[in-house]
Amino acid sequence: MTTTHATQIATSVLAKVKLLDRGRISVTKETIRAWAECFDLAPDGVWPTEALEAVARHYSKPNPFPIFPGDVIDYCAKQPVHSSREHALFFLDQWLKYPYSTVVKDYTGMDFPRIDVPEGLTVQEESKFLEDRHRKWVSQNLDALLAGIASRKFTPPAVER
């Protein structure tokens, strides 16, 4: 997530918090920066729709404590990929880094096209080559991929620990 994007989300979240939690949380530029910094550190991402929903759900409880950035991050991390367009875009971007994975197909129903890889590339060069080609393919097929995510609502199998 970019700092600008995290700042925009933090600004919206804190505006909603200010409406619901009168007086307990002071919204300043410093507060927004601090929340944005936390959102930037979220390994699974924070998205506008889910972040605002986290605030609404938190303050829908009787006598809630003030909400903290970690509450929003935790809520977002628990949402499925199909919870919003932003979440689905983040998901696609993350999985493009793994060109041999079938995860994108599992969630969208669409498989990457077969791409002939030039000979003589190192493993890293081959991976980068495929990632670049897949990014182009995703940009050309983005609407269909997002529709696939929204319609399939794929839930990965549970992993035993």
Coordinates of all heavy atoms in Angstrom, one line a residue, residues 62-152:
P62 N -22.6 -2.5 22.0 CA -22.9 -1.6 23.1 C -21.6 -1.2 23.9 O -20.8 -2.0 24.1 CB -23.8 -2.5 24.0 CG -23.6 -3.9 23.6 CD -23.1 -3.8 22.2
N63 N -21.5 0.0 24.2 CA -20.4 0.6 25.0 C -19.1 0.2 24.5 O -18.3 -0.4 25.3 CB -20.6 0.2 26.5 CG -21.9 0.7 27.0 OD1 -22.2 1.8 26.9 ND2 -22.7 -0.3 27.6
P64 N -18.8 0.4 23.2 CA -17.5 0.0 22.7 C -16.3 0.9 23.3 O -16.5 2.0 23.6 CB -17.6 0.2 21.2 CG -18.5 1.3 21.1 CD -19.5 1.2 22.2
F65 N -15.2 0.2 23.4 CA -13.9 1.0 23.7 C -13.6 1.8 22.4 O -14.1 1.5 21.3 CB -12.8 0.0 24.0 CG -12.9 -0.7 25.3 CD1 -13.3 -2.0 25.3 CD2 -12.7 0.0 26.5 CE1 -13.5 -2.7 26.5 CE2 -12.8 -0.7 27.7 CZ -13.2 -2.0 27.7
P66 N -12.7 2.8 22.5 CA -12.3 3.5 21.3 C -11.6 2.5 20.4 O -10.9 1.5 20.8 CB -11.3 4.5 21.8 CG -11.6 4.7 23.3 CD -12.1 3.4 23.7
I67 N -11.8 2.7 19.1 CA -11.2 1.8 18.1 C -9.8 2.2 17.9 O -9.4 3.3 18.1 CB -12.0 1.8 16.8 CG1 -11.7 0.7 15.9 CG2 -11.9 3.2 16.1 CD1 -12.6 0.5 14.7
F68 N -9.0 1.2 17.5 CA -7.6 1.4 17.2 C -7.2 0.9 15.8 O -8.0 0.1 15.3 CB -6.7 0.7 18.3 CG -6.8 1.4 19.6 CD1 -7.6 0.8 20.6 CD2 -6.1 2.6 19.9 CE1 -7.7 1.4 21.9 CE2 -6.2 3.2 21.2 CZ -7.0 2.6 22.1
P69 N -6.1 1.3 15.3 CA -5.7 0.9 13.9 C -5.7 -0.6 13.8 O -6.1 -1.2 12.8 CB -4.4 1.5 13.7 CG -4.3 2.7 14.6 CD -5.1 2.3 15.8
G70 N -5.2 -1.3 14.8 CA -5.1 -2.8 14.8 C -6.5 -3.4 14.7 O -6.6 -4.5 14.1
D71 N -7.5 -2.8 15.2 CA -8.9 -3.3 15.1 C -9.3 -3.3 13.6 O -9.9 -4.3 13.2 CB -9.9 -2.5 16.0 CG -9.6 -2.5 17.4 OD1 -9.2 -3.6 18.0 OD2 -9.7 -1.5 18.1
V72 N -9.0 -2.2 13.0 CA -9.4 -2.1 11.5 C -8.6 -3.1 10.7 O -9.1 -3.8 9.8 CB -9.1 -0.6 11.1 CG1 -9.4 -0.5 9.6 CG2 -10.0 0.3 11.8
I73 N -7.3 -3.2 11.0 CA -6.4 -4.1 10.3 C -6.9 -5.5 10.4 O -7.0 -6.3 9.5 CB -4.9 -3.9 10.7 CG1 -4.4 -2.5 10.3 CG2 -4.0 -5.0 10.2 CD1 -3.1 -2.1 10.9
D74 N -7.2 -5.9 11.7 CA -7.7 -7.2 11.9 C -9.0 -7.5 11.2 O -9.1 -8.6 10.6 CB -7.8 -7.4 13.5 CG -8.3 -8.8 13.8 OD1 -7.5 -9.8 13.5 OD2 -9.4 -9.0 14.4
Y75 N -9.9 -6.6 11.2 CA -11.1 -6.8 10.5 C -10.9 -7.0 9.0 O -11.4 -7.9 8.4 CB -12.1 -5.6 10.7 CG -13.4 -5.8 10.1 CD1 -14.4 -6.5 10.7 CD2 -13.6 -5.3 8.8 CE1 -15.6 -6.7 10.0 CE2 -14.8 -5.5 8.1 CZ -15.8 -6.2 8.8 OH -17.0 -6.4 8.1
C76 N -10.1 -6.1 8.4 CA -9.8 -6.2 7.0 C -9.1 -7.6 6.7 O -9.5 -8.2 5.7 CB -8.9 -5.1 6.6 SG -9.7 -3.5 6.5
A77 N -8.2 -8.0 7.5 CA -7.5 -9.3 7.2 C -8.5 -10.5 7.2 O -8.2 -11.5 6.6 CB -6.4 -9.5 8.3
K78 N -9.6 -10.4 7.9 CA -10.5 -11.5 8.0 C -11.6 -11.5 6.9 O -12.4 -12.4 6.8 CB -11.2 -11.4 9.3 CG -10.3 -11.8 10.5 CD -11.0 -11.6 11.8 CE -10.0 -11.9 13.0 NZ -10.7 -11.7 14.3
Q79 N -11.5 -10.5 6.0 CA -12.5 -10.4 5.0 C -12.1 -11.2 3.7 O -10.9 -11.3 3.4 CB -12.8 -8.9 4.6 CG -13.3 -8.1 5.7 CD -14.4 -8.7 6.5 OE1 -15.4 -9.0 5.9 NE2 -14.1 -9.0 7.8
P80 N -13.1 -11.8 3.0 CA -12.7 -12.6 1.8 C -12.3 -11.7 0.7 O -12.6 -10.5 0.7 CB -14.0 -13.3 1.5 CG -15.1 -12.4 2.1 CD -14.5 -11.8 3.3
V81 N -11.6 -12.2 -0.2 CA -11.1 -11.5 -1.4 C -12.2 -10.8 -2.1 O -12.0 -9.7 -2.7 CB -10.3 -12.5 -2.3 CG1 -10.0 -11.8 -3.6 CG2 -9.1 -13.0 -1.7
H82 N -13.4 -11.4 -2.2 CA -14.5 -10.8 -2.9 C -15.2 -9.7 -2.2 O -16.2 -9.1 -2.6 CB -15.5 -11.9 -3.4 CG -16.1 -12.6 -2.2 ND1 -15.5 -13.8 -1.8 CD2 -17.1 -12.4 -1.4 CE1 -16.2 -14.3 -0.8 NE2 -17.2 -13.4 -0.6
S83 N -14.7 -9.3 -1.0 CA -15.4 -8.3 -0.2 C -15.4 -6.9 -0.8 O -16.3 -6.1 -0.5 CB -14.8 -8.2 1.2 OG -13.4 -7.8 1.1
S84 N -14.5 -6.6 -1.7 CA -14.5 -5.3 -2.4 C -13.6 -5.3 -3.6 O -12.7 -6.2 -3.7 CB -14.1 -4.1 -1.5 OG -12.7 -4.2 -1.3
R85 N -13.9 -4.4 -4.5 CA -13.0 -4.3 -5.7 C -11.6 -4.1 -5.3 O -10.6 -4.7 -5.9 CB -13.6 -3.2 -6.6 CG -12.7 -3.0 -7.9 CD -13.3 -1.8 -8.7 NE -12.4 -1.5 -9.8 CZ -12.4 -2.1 -11.0 NH1 -13.3 -3.0 -11.3 NH2 -11.6 -1.7 -11.9
E86 N -11.3 -3.2 -4.4 CA -10.0 -2.8 -3.9 C -9.3 -4.1 -3.4 O -8.1 -4.3 -3.6 CB -10.0 -1.7 -2.9 CG -10.5 -0.4 -3.4 CD -12.0 -0.3 -3.3 OE1 -12.7 -1.2 -2.8 OE2 -12.5 0.8 -3.8
H87 N -10.0 -4.9 -2.6 CA -9.4 -6.1 -2.0 C -9.0 -7.0 -3.2 O -8.0 -7.6 -3.2 CB -10.4 -6.7 -1.1 CG -9.8 -7.8 -0.2 ND1 -10.4 -8.3 0.9 CD2 -8.7 -8.6 -0.4 CE1 -9.7 -9.3 1.4 NE2 -8.6 -9.5 0.6
A88 N -9.9 -7.2 -4.1 CA -9.7 -8.1 -5.3 C -8.5 -7.6 -6.1 O -7.6 -8.4 -6.5 CB -10.9 -8.2 -6.1
L89 N -8.4 -6.3 -6.3 CA -7.2 -5.8 -7.0 C -5.9 -6.0 -6.3 O -4.9 -6.4 -6.9 CB -7.4 -4.3 -7.3 CG -8.4 -3.9 -8.3 CD1 -8.7 -2.4 -8.2 CD2 -8.0 -4.3 -9.7
F90 N -5.9 -5.8 -5.0 CA -4.8 -6.1 -4.1 C -4.4 -7.6 -4.2 O -3.2 -7.9 -4.4 CB -5.1 -5.7 -2.7 CG -4.0 -6.0 -1.7 CD1 -3.0 -5.1 -1.5 CD2 -4.0 -7.2 -1.0 CE1 -1.9 -5.4 -0.6 CE2 -3.0 -7.5 -0.1 CZ -1.9 -6.6 0.1
F91 N -5.4 -8.5 -4.1 CA -5.1 -9.9 -4.2 C -4.5 -10.3 -5.6 O -3.5 -11.0 -5.6 CB -6.5 -10.6 -4.1 CG -6.4 -12.1 -4.5 CD1 -6.0 -13.0 -3.6 CD2 -6.9 -12.4 -5.8 CE1 -6.0 -14.4 -4.0 CE2 -6.8 -13.7 -6.2 CZ -6.4 -14.7 -5.3
L92 N -5.0 -9.8 -6.7 CA -4.4 -10.1 -8.0 C -3.0 -9.6 -8.0 O -2.1 -10.3 -8.5 CB -5.3 -9.4 -9.1 CG -6.6 -10.1 -9.4 CD1 -7.4 -9.2 -10.4 CD2 -6.4 -11.5 -9.9
D93 N -2.8 -8.4 -7.6 CA -1.4 -7.8 -7.6 C -0.4 -8.7 -6.8 O 0.7 -8.9 -7.3 CB -1.4 -6.4 -7.1 CG 0.0 -5.7 -7.2 OD1 0.4 -5.6 -8.3 OD2 0.5 -5.4 -6.1
Q94 N -0.8 -9.1 -5.7 CA 0.0 -9.9 -4.8 C 0.4 -11.3 -5.5 O 1.5 -11.7 -5.4 CB -0.6 -10.2 -3.4 CG -0.8 -8.9 -2.6 CD 0.5 -8.2 -2.4 OE1 1.5 -8.8 -1.9 NE2 0.6 -7.0 -2.8
W95 N -0.6 -11.9 -6.1 CA -0.4 -13.2 -6.7 C 0.3 -13.2 -8.0 O 0.7 -14.3 -8.5 CB -1.7 -14.0 -6.7 CG -2.0 -14.6 -5.3 CD1 -2.8 -14.1 -4.4 CD2 -1.3 -15.7 -4.7 NE1 -2.7 -14.8 -3.2 CE2 -1.8 -15.8 -3.4 CE3 -0.4 -16.6 -5.2 CZ2 -1.3 -16.8 -2.6 CZ3 0.1 -17.6 -4.3 CH2 -0.4 -17.7 -3.0
L96 N 0.4 -12.1 -8.6 CA 1.1 -12.0 -9.9 C 2.6 -12.2 -9.7 O 3.3 -12.5 -10.6 CB 0.9 -10.7 -10.6 CG -0.5 -10.5 -11.3 CD1 -0.7 -9.1 -11.7 CD2 -0.6 -11.5 -12.4
K97 N 3.0 -12.1 -8.4 CA 4.4 -12.3 -8.1 C 4.8 -13.8 -8.1 O 6.0 -14.2 -8.0 CB 4.7 -11.7 -6.7 CG 4.5 -10.2 -6.7 CD 4.6 -9.7 -5.3 CE 4.2 -8.2 -5.3 NZ 4.0 -7.7 -3.9
Y98 N 3.8 -14.6 -8.2 CA 4.0 -16.1 -8.2 C 3.4 -16.7 -9.5 O 2.3 -17.2 -9.6 CB 3.3 -16.7 -7.0 CG 3.7 -16.1 -5.7 CD1 3.0 -15.1 -5.1 CD2 4.9 -16.4 -5.1 CE1 3.4 -14.5 -4.0 CE2 5.4 -15.8 -4.0 CZ 4.6 -14.8 -3.4 OH 5.0 -14.2 -2.2
P99 N 4.2 -16.5 -10.6 CA 3.6 -16.9 -12.0 C 3.3 -18.4 -12.2 O 2.5 -18.7 -13.1 CB 4.7 -16.4 -12.9 CG 6.0 -16.4 -12.1 CD 5.5 -16.1 -10.7
Y100 N 3.8 -19.2 -11.3 CA 3.5 -20.7 -11.5 C 2.3 -21.1 -10.6 O 1.9 -22.3 -10.6 CB 4.7 -21.5 -11.3 CG 5.7 -21.3 -12.4 CD1 6.9 -20.6 -12.1 CD2 5.5 -21.8 -13.7 CE1 7.8 -20.4 -13.1 CE2 6.5 -21.5 -14.7 CZ 7.6 -20.9 -14.4 OH 8.5 -20.6 -15.4
S101 N 1.8 -20.2 -9.8 CA 0.8 -20.6 -8.9 C -0.6 -20.7 -9.6 O -0.8 -20.0 -10.6 CB 0.6 -19.5 -7.8 OG -0.5 -19.7 -7.0
T102 N -1.5 -21.5 -9.1 CA -2.8 -21.7 -9.6 C -3.8 -20.9 -8.8 O -5.0 -21.0 -9.1 CB -3.2 -23.1 -9.7 OG1 -3.2 -23.7 -8.4 CG2 -2.3 -23.9 -10.6
V103 N -3.4 -20.1 -7.9 CA -4.3 -19.4 -7.0 C -5.2 -18.4 -7.8 O -6.4 -18.4 -7.5 CB -3.5 -18.6 -5.9 CG1 -4.5 -17.7 -5.1 CG2 -2.9 -19.7 -5.0
V104 N -4.7 -17.7 -8.7 CA -5.5 -16.7 -9.5 C -6.6 -17.5 -10.2 O -7.8 -17.1 -10.2 CB -4.7 -15.9 -10.5 CG1 -5.5 -15.1 -11.4 CG2 -3.8 -15.0 -9.7
K105 N -6.3 -18.7 -10.8 CA -7.3 -19.5 -11.5 C -8.4 -20.0 -10.5 O -9.6 -20.0 -10.8 CB -6.7 -20.7 -12.2 CG -7.7 -21.5 -12.9 CD -7.1 -22.7 -13.5 CE -8.1 -23.6 -14.2 NZ -7.6 -24.8 -14.7
D106 N -7.9 -20.4 -9.3 CA -8.9 -20.9 -8.3 C -9.9 -19.8 -7.9 O -11.1 -20.1 -7.7 CB -8.1 -21.3 -7.0 CG -7.2 -22.5 -7.2 OD1 -7.4 -23.3 -8.1 OD2 -6.3 -22.7 -6.3
Y107 N -9.5 -18.6 -7.8 CA -10.4 -17.5 -7.4 C -11.2 -16.9 -8.5 O -12.2 -16.3 -8.3 CB -9.6 -16.4 -6.7 CG -9.2 -16.7 -5.2 CD1 -8.2 -17.5 -4.9 CD2 -10.0 -16.2 -4.2 CE1 -7.9 -17.8 -3.6 CE2 -9.7 -16.4 -2.9 CZ -8.7 -17.3 -2.6 OH -8.4 -17.6 -1.3
T108 N -10.6 -16.9 -9.7 CA -11.3 -16.2 -10.9 C -11.9 -17.2 -11.9 O -12.8 -16.8 -12.6 CB -10.3 -15.4 -11.6 OG1 -9.3 -16.2 -12.3 CG2 -9.6 -14.3 -10.7
G109 N -11.4 -18.4 -11.9 CA -11.9 -19.3 -12.9 C -11.2 -19.1 -14.2 O -11.4 -19.8 -15.2
M110 N -10.3 -18.2 -14.3 CA -9.5 -17.9 -15.5 C -8.0 -18.3 -15.3 O -7.4 -17.9 -14.3 CB -9.6 -16.5 -15.9 CG -11.1 -16.1 -16.3 SD -11.2 -14.3 -16.5 CE -10.2 -14.1 -18.0
D111 N -7.4 -19.0 -16.2 CA -6.0 -19.4 -16.1 C -5.2 -18.4 -17.0 O -5.6 -18.0 -18.0 CB -5.9 -20.8 -16.6 CG -4.6 -21.4 -16.0 OD1 -3.9 -20.8 -15.2 OD2 -4.4 -22.6 -16.2
F112 N -4.0 -18.2 -16.5 CA -3.0 -17.4 -17.3 C -2.8 -18.1 -18.6 O -2.8 -19.4 -18.7 CB -1.7 -17.3 -16.6 CG -1.7 -16.5 -15.4 CD1 -1.3 -17.0 -14.2 CD2 -2.1 -15.2 -15.4 CE1 -1.3 -16.2 -13.0 CE2 -2.1 -14.4 -14.2 CZ -1.7 -14.9 -13.0
P113 N -2.6 -17.4 -19.7 CA -2.3 -18.0 -21.0 C -1.0 -18.7 -21.0 O -0.1 -18.3 -20.2 CB -2.3 -16.8 -22.0 CG -2.0 -15.7 -21.1 CD -2.6 -15.9 -19.8
R114 N -0.8 -19.7 -21.8 CA 0.5 -20.3 -21.9 C 1.5 -19.4 -22.6 O 1.1 -18.8 -23.6 CB 0.4 -21.6 -22.7 CG 1.7 -22.3 -22.9 CD 1.6 -23.8 -23.2 NE 2.7 -24.4 -23.7 CZ 4.0 -24.3 -23.4 NH1 4.3 -23.5 -22.4 NH2 4.9 -25.0 -23.9
I115 N 2.6 -19.2 -22.0 CA 3.6 -18.2 -22.5 C 4.9 -19.0 -22.7 O 5.4 -19.7 -21.8 CB 3.8 -17.1 -21.5 CG1 2.5 -16.3 -21.4 CG2 4.9 -16.2 -22.0 CD1 2.5 -15.3 -20.3
D116 N 5.4 -18.9 -23.9 CA 6.7 -19.5 -24.2 C 7.8 -18.6 -23.6 O 7.9 -17.4 -23.9 CB 6.9 -19.7 -25.7 CG 6.0 -20.7 -26.3 OD1 5.7 -21.7 -25.6 OD2 5.5 -20.5 -27.4
V117 N 8.6 -19.2 -22.8 CA 9.7 -18.4 -22.1 C 11.0 -18.6 -22.9 O 11.3 -19.7 -23.3 CB 9.9 -18.9 -20.7 CG1 11.0 -18.2 -20.0 CG2 8.6 -18.8 -19.9
P118 N 11.7 -17.5 -23.2 CA 12.9 -17.6 -23.9 C 13.9 -18.5 -23.2 O 14.0 -18.5 -22.0 CB 13.4 -16.1 -24.0 CG 12.2 -15.3 -23.7 CD 11.3 -16.1 -22.9
E119 N 14.7 -19.1 -23.9 CA 15.8 -20.0 -23.3 C 16.9 -19.1 -22.8 O 17.1 -18.0 -23.2 CB 16.3 -21.0 -24.4 CG 15.3 -22.0 -24.8 CD 15.9 -23.0 -25.8 OE1 17.1 -23.3 -25.7 OE2 15.1 -23.5 -26.6
G120 N 17.6 -19.7 -21.8 CA 18.8 -19.1 -21.3 C 18.5 -18.1 -20.2 O 19.5 -17.5 -19.7
L121 N 17.3 -18.0 -19.7 CA 17.0 -17.1 -18.6 C 17.3 -17.7 -17.2 O 17.1 -19.0 -17.1 CB 15.6 -16.6 -18.6 CG 15.1 -15.8 -19.8 CD1 13.6 -15.5 -19.6 CD2 15.9 -14.6 -20.0
T122 N 17.8 -17.0 -16.3 CA 17.9 -17.5 -14.9 C 16.5 -17.7 -14.3 O 15.5 -17.2 -14.9 CB 18.7 -16.5 -14.0 OG1 17.9 -15.4 -13.8 CG2 20.1 -16.2 -14.6
V123 N 16.4 -18.4 -13.2 CA 15.1 -18.6 -12.6 C 14.5 -17.3 -12.3 O 13.3 -17.1 -12.5 CB 15.3 -19.5 -11.3 CG1 14.0 -19.5 -10.5 CG2 15.8 -20.9 -11.7
Q124 N 15.2 -16.3 -11.7 CA 14.7 -15.0 -11.4 C 14.2 -14.2 -12.6 O 13.2 -13.6 -12.6 CB 15.7 -14.2 -10.6 CG 16.0 -14.6 -9.2 CD 17.1 -15.7 -9.2 OE1 17.7 -16.1 -10.3 NE2 17.3 -16.3 -8.1
E125 N 15.0 -14.3 -13.7 CA 14.7 -13.6 -15.0 C 13.4 -14.2 -15.6 O 12.5 -13.5 -16.1 CB 15.8 -13.7 -16.0 CG 17.0 -12.9 -15.6 CD 18.2 -13.2 -16.5 OE1 18.3 -14.3 -17.1 OE2 19.1 -12.3 -16.5
E126 N 13.3 -15.6 -15.5 CA 12.1 -16.3 -16.0 C 10.9 -15.9 -15.2 O 9.8 -15.6 -15.8 CB 12.3 -17.8 -15.9 CG 11.1 -18.6 -16.5 CD 11.4 -20.1 -16.5 OE1 12.5 -20.5 -16.8 OE2 10.5 -20.8 -16.1
S127 N 11.0 -15.8 -13.9 CA 9.9 -15.4 -13.0 C 9.4 -14.0 -13.4 O 8.2 -13.7 -13.5 CB 10.3 -15.6 -11.6 OG 9.2 -15.3 -10.8
K128 N 10.4 -13.1 -13.5 CA 10.1 -11.7 -13.8 C 9.5 -11.6 -15.2 O 8.5 -10.8 -15.4 CB 11.4 -10.9 -13.8 CG 11.2 -9.4 -14.1 CD 10.5 -8.7 -13.0 CE 10.4 -7.2 -13.3 NZ 9.1 -6.6 -13.1
F129 N 10.0 -12.3 -16.2 CA 9.4 -12.3 -17.5 C 7.9 -12.7 -17.5 O 7.1 -12.1 -18.1 CB 10.2 -13.3 -18.4 CG 9.7 -13.5 -19.8 CD1 10.0 -12.6 -20.8 CD2 8.8 -14.5 -20.1 CE1 9.5 -12.7 -22.1 CE2 8.3 -14.7 -21.4 CZ 8.7 -13.8 -22.4
L130 N 7.6 -13.8 -16.8 CA 6.3 -14.3 -16.7 C 5.4 -13.3 -15.9 O 4.2 -13.1 -16.3 CB 6.2 -15.7 -16.0 CG 6.7 -16.8 -16.9 CD1 6.8 -18.1 -16.1 CD2 5.8 -17.0 -18.1
E131 N 5.9 -12.8 -14.9 CA 5.1 -11.8 -14.1 C 4.8 -10.6 -15.0 O 3.6 -10.1 -15.0 CB 5.9 -11.3 -12.9 CG 5.1 -10.3 -12.0 CD 5.9 -9.7 -10.9 OE1 6.9 -10.3 -10.4 OE2 5.5 -8.7 -10.4
D132 N 5.7 -10.1 -15.8 CA 5.4 -9.0 -16.7 C 4.3 -9.3 -17.7 O 3.4 -8.5 -17.9 CB 6.7 -8.5 -17.4 CG 7.7 -7.9 -16.5 OD1 7.3 -7.5 -15.3 OD2 8.9 -7.8 -16.9
R133 N 4.4 -10.5 -18.3 CA 3.4 -10.9 -19.3 C 2.1 -11.1 -18.6 O 1.0 -10.8 -19.2 CB 3.9 -12.2 -20.0 CG 5.1 -12.1 -20.8 CD 5.1 -11.0 -21.8 NE 6.2 -10.9 -22.7 CZ 7.4 -10.4 -22.4 NH1 7.6 -9.9 -21.2 NH2 8.3 -10.3 -23.3
H134 N 2.1 -11.7 -17.4 CA 0.8 -11.9 -16.7 C 0.2 -10.6 -16.3 O -1.1 -10.5 -16.4 CB 1.0 -12.8 -15.5 CG 1.3 -14.2 -15.8 ND1 1.8 -15.1 -14.9 CD2 1.2 -14.9 -17.0 CE1 1.9 -16.3 -15.5 NE2 1.6 -16.2 -16.7
R135 N 1.0 -9.6 -15.9 CA 0.4 -8.3 -15.6 C -0.3 -7.7 -16.8 O -1.3 -7.1 -16.7 CB 1.5 -7.4 -15.1 CG 1.9 -7.6 -13.7 CD 2.8 -6.5 -13.1 NE 3.2 -6.9 -11.8 CZ 2.5 -6.9 -10.7 NH1 1.2 -6.5 -10.8 NH2 2.9 -7.4 -9.5
K136 N 0.3 -7.8 -18.0 CA -0.3 -7.3 -19.2 C -1.6 -8.0 -19.4 O -2.6 -7.4 -19.8 CB 0.6 -7.4 -20.4 CG 1.8 -6.5 -20.3 CD 2.8 -6.7 -21.5 CE 4.0 -5.9 -21.3 NZ 5.1 -6.2 -22.3
W137 N -1.6 -9.3 -19.3 CA -2.8 -10.1 -19.5 C -3.9 -9.7 -18.5 O -5.1 -9.6 -18.9 CB -2.5 -11.6 -19.4 CG -3.7 -12.5 -19.6 CD1 -4.2 -12.9 -20.8 CD2 -4.5 -13.1 -18.6 NE1 -5.3 -13.7 -20.6 CE2 -5.5 -13.9 -19.2 CE3 -4.4 -13.1 -17.2 CZ2 -6.4 -14.6 -18.5 CZ3 -5.3 -13.9 -16.5 CH2 -6.3 -14.6 -17.1
V138 N -3.5 -9.5 -17.2 CA -4.5 -9.1 -16.2 C -5.1 -7.8 -16.6 O -6.3 -7.6 -16.5 CB -3.9 -9.1 -14.8 CG1 -4.7 -8.4 -13.8 CG2 -3.6 -10.6 -14.3
S139 N -4.3 -6.8 -17.0 CA -4.8 -5.5 -17.3 C -5.8 -5.6 -18.5 O -6.8 -4.9 -18.5 CB -3.7 -4.5 -17.6 OG -3.0 -4.8 -18.8
Q140 N -5.5 -6.5 -19.4 CA -6.4 -6.6 -20.6 C -7.7 -7.4 -20.2 O -8.7 -7.3 -20.9 CB -5.7 -7.4 -21.7 CG -4.6 -6.6 -22.3 CD -3.7 -7.5 -23.2 OE1 -3.8 -8.7 -23.2 NE2 -2.8 -6.9 -23.9
N141 N -7.7 -8.2 -19.1 CA -8.8 -9.0 -18.7 C -9.3 -8.7 -17.3 O -10.0 -9.5 -16.7 CB -8.4 -10.5 -18.8 CG -8.1 -10.9 -20.2 OD1 -9.0 -11.2 -21.0 ND2 -6.8 -11.0 -20.5
L142 N -9.0 -7.5 -16.9 CA -9.3 -7.1 -15.5 C -10.8 -7.2 -15.1 O -11.2 -7.8 -14.1 CB -8.8 -5.7 -15.2 CG -8.9 -5.3 -13.7 CD1 -8.2 -6.2 -12.8 CD2 -8.4 -3.9 -13.5
D143 N -11.7 -6.7 -16.0 CA -13.1 -6.8 -15.6 C -13.6 -8.2 -15.5 O -14.3 -8.6 -14.6 CB -13.9 -6.0 -16.7 CG -13.7 -4.5 -16.6 OD1 -13.3 -4.0 -15.6 OD2 -14.0 -3.9 -17.6
A144 N -13.2 -9.1 -16.4 CA -13.6 -10.5 -16.3 C -13.0 -11.2 -15.1 O -13.7 -12.0 -14.5 CB -13.1 -11.2 -17.6
L145 N -11.7 -10.9 -14.8 CA -11.1 -11.4 -13.6 C -11.9 -11.0 -12.3 O -12.1 -11.8 -11.4 CB -9.7 -11.1 -13.5 CG -8.8 -11.7 -14.5 CD1 -7.4 -10.9 -14.7 CD2 -8.5 -13.2 -14.2
L146 N -12.2 -9.7 -12.2 CA -12.9 -9.2 -11.0 C -14.3 -9.8 -11.0 O -14.8 -10.1 -9.9 CB -13.0 -7.7 -11.1 CG -11.6 -7.0 -10.9 CD1 -11.8 -5.5 -11.1 CD2 -11.0 -7.3 -9.5
A147 N -15.0 -10.0 -12.1 CA -16.3 -10.6 -12.1 C -16.2 -12.0 -11.7 O -17.0 -12.5 -11.0 CB -16.9 -10.5 -13.5
G148 N -15.1 -12.7 -12.1 CA -14.9 -14.1 -11.7 C -14.7 -14.2 -10.2 O -15.3 -15.1 -9.5
I149 N -14.0 -13.3 -9.6 CA -13.8 -13.3 -8.1 C -15.1 -13.0 -7.4 O -15.4 -13.7 -6.5 CB -12.7 -12.2 -7.7 CG1 -11.3 -12.6 -8.1 CG2 -12.8 -11.9 -6.2 CD1 -10.2 -11.6 -8.0
A150 N -15.9 -12.1 -7.9 CA -17.1 -11.7 -7.3 C -18.2 -12.8 -7.4 O -18.9 -13.1 -6.5 CB -17.7 -10.4 -7.9
S151 N -18.2 -13.5 -8.5 CA -19.2 -14.5 -8.7 C -18.8 -15.9 -8.1 O -19.7 -16.6 -7.6 CB -19.5 -14.7 -10.2 OG -18.3 -15.3 -10.9
R152 N -17.6 -16.2 -8.1 CA -17.1 -17.5 -7.5 C -17.1 -17.5 -6.0 O -17.4 -18.5 -5.4 CB -15.8 -17.9 -8.1 CG -15.8 -18.3 -9.5 CD -14.4 -18.5 -10.1 NE -13.7 -19.6 -9.5 CZ -13.7 -20.8 -10.0 NH1 -14.4 -21.1 -11.0 NH2 -13.0 -21.8 -9.4

